[in-house]
Amino acid sequence: MKKQVTLILLTLFMGFNVGFAQQDEECMLNLTLLNDYAKSKKYDEAYEPFKKLRSKCPKFNYAIYYYGERVLKHKIDNSTGAEQVNYVNDLMKLWDEGLVNFPNKYKAGDILQDKAMLKYDNRQALGLSNKQVYDAFDNIYKTAPESFTNPKGLYVYFSTIVDMHEAKEVEVQNVFDKYDDITDKIGQEIDNYTQKLNPLVEKEEAGTALTKTEGQYKKQYESYLEAYDKISSSIDGKLGKLANCEVLIPLYTRDFEKYKNDAVWLKRAVNRMFNKECTDDPLYTELVKAYDASSPSADTKYFVYNLLMKQGKEKEAKPYLDQSYDLETDPLKKSKLAMRFGKSLKSQGNYGAARNYFQKSLALNPSNGRAHIEIANMYAASANNCGDNQFNKRAVFWLAAAEARKAGRVDANLKSYAEGLAANFEGKAPQRSEIFTAGNGGTTIRIGCWIGSSVTVPKI
């Protein structure tokens, strides 16, 4: 449970609500025993003083609930059958009591999330069905979405509805709707931590060392972003074959007339058809047109752009790309849009324009290491075409390596991959013997073509 823990030895003897001199001696003795046993991880011994405190003086000290949670989790892990079920139910009861007696230490939404996770972890002992597990998470999503931030919980929430579909308990459309809900939620959380991380990344890139506290926060934000990235992949994997063209086209054909003016339904249908490469079917064209007509936005203009490009109408398509970018005002969404444009232009071989959008993405979201990776790969792919001799052509790989390393600096989750990529590129650049033969160590080489940049030959 996410609780701010400020308990230190002094507070144990001072109490949170009542002065030390007024405290019942028995409560004080049991609190001391609970503290000593729990800190030594002797949770079985801590159980009796914990029970007495909880019963006799529930408002005496927050330690009753802080350590009590550990005691009951130990009991759950080391019991079976009815006894285990009793401990599970008792832990949920303890959280409710903590909320009542120390409301400044608990949030109702956090308790709902912890209860849902506890039910899932002990679903077999509790005899819970998939629907009962799903309903526990669905309750958080509907009543306290701001507290629903646990990556594992979000995955379980989605995984359970897929299991319910496989058991023929829900329609496939319910699965798609929940997939969209959860991916939107994950996107919100990623944006939240990205906004917190970016100022720290910019500070480091500017050459200023982070304070100890800032460094700790940076690791925390990066850890959450890594967890959400992994869970997104897991959710996509769980969706699996349910979302393929053979399923999507008949489903959306059936429902199109009913939802053709519903912007949310159209957005989700178009996104899914696009992501699953179902764009050759005439239905996709109808969906895009209806989406753009019902709610013109950055998204709709981008889909129209892709539709026209697919039809070979490049000149007609270009204004829609510009409109899409100009219509978006949210910095992080605009950064993602710039990445999408960059990848699209890269796939067409238009590297110069692609780099421009990747750089725009970085300006809006400095911790987006994937943009540096994309640029690095384009540099490497152009090595044979940019340069007036063999040495200078291979010098492009130094640029590619430098760009790859930037990705690892701004995004810790890409550090290992970025270092490996940079090493690979450096292995393709001129080596020490070649630099010695050329006699140009320390000189600057101008790289032409679309790259239009310079690189300094390493000194030997």
Side-chain angles (χ1 to χ4, degrees):
M1 176 176 289
K2 295 187 296 182
K3 299 183 288 283
Q4 182 184 4
V5 179
T6 58
L7 184 67
I8 57 174
L9 190 58
L10 177 62
T11 60
L12 282 171
F13 293 97
M14 292 299 292
F16 282 89
N17 298 296
V18 185
F20 169 73
Q22 297 174 321
Q23 299 300 341
D24 184 277
E25 290 184 8
E26 183 182 352
C27 292
M28 193 67 236
L29 174 61
N30 283 317
L31 182 63
T32 303
L33 290 171
L34 172 62
N35 174 63
D36 291 345
Y37 284 138
K39 283 189 173 181
S40 301
K41 297 185 179 181
K42 296 178 179 179
Y43 296 121
D44 289 323
E45 291 86 343
Y47 185 62
E48 283 304 318
F50 156 66
K51 283 201 305 180
K52 292 175 181 178
L53 283 164
R54 184 181 177 189
S55 173
K56 184 176 176 62
C57 35
K59 295 181 182 292
F60 188 70
N61 198 292
Y62 168 56
I64 299 168
Y65 304 92
Y66 175 66
Y67 286 132
E69 180 178 328
R70 297 187 184 187
V71 170
L72 289 176
K73 284 184 175 179
H74 169 80
K75 291 291 189 180
I76 292 168
D77 291 341
N78 292 276
S79 59
T80 58
E83 185 183 26
Q84 185 180 52
V85 170
N86 288 336
Y87 286 131
V88 169
N89 290 327
D90 201 28
L91 178 53
M92 289 191 279
K93 183 181 177 183
L94 180 72
W95 286 331
D96 290 335
E97 292 169 358
L99 179 62
V100 172
N101 294 317
F102 290 91
N104 62 319
K105 295 292 184 180
Y106 292 87
K107 291 182 180 178
D110 290 347
I111 289 176
L112 286 176
Q113 179 171 242
D114 286 340
K115 284 183 176 180
M117 290 303 304
L118 187 66
K119 289 177 180 178
Y120 171 74
D121 290 337
N122 297 277
R123 60 196 179 281
Q124 292 182 338
L126 294 170
L128 299 180
S129 66
N130 283 332
K131 187 176 188 307
Q132 288 172 308
V133 171
Y134 174 82
D135 286 345
F137 287 102
D138 197 44
N139 185 37
I140 317 168
Y141 181 78
K142 290 176 178 176
T143 63
E146 71 286 350
S147 293
F148 199 177
T149 58
N150 186 311
K152 179 182 175 182
L154 289 165
Y155 174 76
V156 171
Y157 185 33
F158 179 69
S159 176
T160 306
I161 199 172
V162 174
D163 293 340
M164 290 166 65
H165 169 70
E166 291 175 352
K168 304 188 184 305
E169 295 172 2
V170 296
E171 297 290 331
V172 70
Q173 184 62 57
N174 298 117
V175 178
F176 291 158
D177 290 342
K178 193 49 56 183
Y179 173 87
D180 291 325
D181 290 341
I182 295 172
T183 52
D184 285 348
K185 173 63 177 173
I186 291 173
Q188 291 168 11
E189 294 303 322
I190 289 174
D191 287 352
N192 173 41
Y193 285 106
T194 299
Q195 288 173 337
K196 293 178 180 179
L197 177 63
N198 278 339
L200 302 178
V201 169
E202 289 182 292
K203 183 176 180 179
E204 278 192 319
E205 281 297 287
T208 305
L210 299 181
T211 66
K212 182 179 179 180
T213 300
E214 287 174 332
Q216 291 171 340
Y217 276 125
K218 183 171 182 281
K219 287 182 180 179
Q220 178 186 344
Y221 302 152
E222 289 170 342
S223 176
Y224 269 104
L225 288 169
E226 180 180 17
Y228 286 124
D229 184 58
K230 288 180 179 178
I231 219 68
S232 294
S233 298
S234 297
I235 287 173
D236 285 339
K238 185 70 177 180
L239 184 64
K241 63 183 180 182
L242 287 179
N244 57 38
C245 299
E246 289 73 21
V247 173
L248 296 176
I249 292 170
L251 178 68
Y252 293 145
T253 299
R254 183 194 72 186
D255 294 340
F256 180 67
E257 282 301 316
K258 181 179 178 181
Y259 294 108
K260 64 182 180 182
N261 296 314
D262 186 328
V264 174
W265 184 88
L266 289 165
K267 175 183 179 179
R268 291 179 169 186
V270 169
N271 268 297
R272 188 162 290 111
M273 291 277 282
F274 178 80
N275 291 332
K276 294 298 178 179
E277 300 181 356
C278 307
T279 55
D280 289 333
D281 194 273
L283 173 65
Y284 178 73
T285 302
E286 293 300 311
L287 288 168
V288 170
K289 289 179 179 178
Y291 181 28
D292 189 45
S294 68
S295 181
S297 66
D299 269 350
T300 66
K301 301 306 176 187
Y302 176 71
F303 286 120
V304 173
Y305 161 78
N306 273 286
L307 197 62
L308 293 171
M309 286 295 294
K310 197 171 184 67
Q311 295 170 358
K313 301 176 181 178
E314 186 173 344
K315 187 175 181 181
E316 188 179 341
K318 181 62 168 63
Y320 282 96
L321 192 68
D322 298 331
Q323 289 175 41
S324 178
Y325 192 74
D326 293 340
L327 280 169
E328 187 55 75
T329 57
D330 180 271
L332 290 181
K333 289 181 180 178
K334 196 159 189 164
S335 173
K336 292 174 186 175
L337 206 56
M339 279 295 292
R340 184 187 279 183
F341 293 172
K343 289 179 180 179
S344 177
L345 291 163
K346 177 187 172 186
S347 68
Q348 298 165 28
N350 193 345
Y351 287 176
R355 179 179 60 182
N356 183 43
Y357 274 109
F358 290 137
Q359 289 173 336
K360 286 181 178 180
S361 178
L362 282 163
L364 293 161
N365 179 12
S367 63
N368 178 21
R370 288 178 174 82
H372 287 300
I373 295 293
E374 294 288 353
I375 295 171
N377 283 325
M378 289 193 300
Y379 285 162
S382 302
N384 287 330
N385 303 318
C386 300
D388 52 8
N389 58 53
Q390 192 61 28
F391 187 98
N392 290 357
K393 288 179 179 180
R394 291 174 58 204
V396 173
F397 286 109
W398 282 319
L399 276 179
E403 195 70 29
R405 286 208 163 86
K406 289 180 185 178
R409 287 203 306 270
V410 303
D411 186 344
N413 296 321
L414 288 175
K415 187 173 181 62
S416 178
Y417 174 74
E419 285 295 327
L421 191 64
N424 176 270
F425 291 151
E426 286 173 342
K428 297 176 180 178
Q431 302 302 297
R432 290 176 61 86
S433 60
E434 295 167 290
I435 297 171
F436 178 79
T437 300
N440 59 357
T443 63
T444 299
I445 296 174
R446 179 68 182 172
I447 307 298
C449 69
W450 71 271
I451 295 178
S453 187
S454 298
V455 62
T456 300
V457 179
K459 292 181 179 180
I460 57 171

